[in-house]
Amino acid sequence: MRVSIVIPAFGQQDLLDRSLATWHAQKDEFAECIVVEDGSFPPLTIPEWAIPVRIDREDIPRGSSAAKNLGVERASGDYIVFADSDILHLPDALASLKKSMRQWEDEGEPNILLNVTRHSLKNGYPRR
């Protein structure tokens, strides 16, 4: 199951870094993580440790919905997970989503939106 994570982001580099650290600490793997920067100034960056994350940039702010749409256009996964750039995710969030996705596959429903279980932690997760 190839999962692409799409994160629309505008500013707040420190919060984005903390959120990416929680994706990096996931128990399950994801195919890719695309941060769609929505015209931030100064431009956002991706920490070296945050592989396989890439950043796609919009020249001007167009809003979260447009950023999500761009991320979906460029994603290569079979499934798309939307995440916020300022939210911390539990280490089993992706595993839980994948389990739910497999259950819905048997129902024949191709267009299911699942909510990511998330929790704000004071200090985030440690970096690997």
Side-chain angles (χ1 to χ4, degrees):
M1 174 179 293
R2 291 182 35 81
V3 175
S4 296
I5 300 167
V6 174
I7 304 174
F10 181 81
Q12 301 182 319
Q13 180 73 56
D14 57 334
L15 295 177
L16 175 61
D17 290 350
R18 290 180 67 205
S19 182
L20 290 175
T22 66
W23 284 113
H24 192 65
Q26 291 298 301
K27 294 176 182 176
D28 272 30
E29 293 184 12
F30 49 87
E32 64 187 342
C33 180
I34 304 168
V35 174
V36 181
E37 181 197 40
D38 192 30
S40 297
F41 188 82
L44 296 171
T45 60
I46 301 299
E48 290 181 22
W49 52 262
I51 303 300
V53 176
R54 76 171 195 261
I55 193 162
D56 288 352
R57 301 182 195 285
E58 290 278 24
D59 293 334
I60 58 171
R62 295 179 51 215
S64 179
S65 294
K68 288 177 183 176
N69 289 337
L70 180 63
V72 168
E73 287 175 18
R74 297 185 177 172
S76 65
D78 302 313
Y79 294 88
I80 309 290
V81 172
F82 294 113
D84 294 331
S85 62
D86 61 349
I87 297 296
L88 306 179
H89 304 275
L90 297 170
D92 64 346
L94 190 55
S96 176
L97 280 174
K98 285 182 175 181
K99 182 179 178 183
S100 295
M101 289 176 194
R102 285 187 190 99
Q103 290 172 344
W104 283 103
E105 281 179 342
D106 295 338
E107 299 296 322
E109 285 291 330
N111 298 313
I112 300 297
L113 177 62
L114 297 170
N115 199 4
V116 177
T117 302
R118 53 195 186 183
H119 181 73
S120 294
L121 299 178
K122 184 176 181 182
N123 296 315
Y125 292 98
R127 294 184 182 153
R128 289 186 192 171

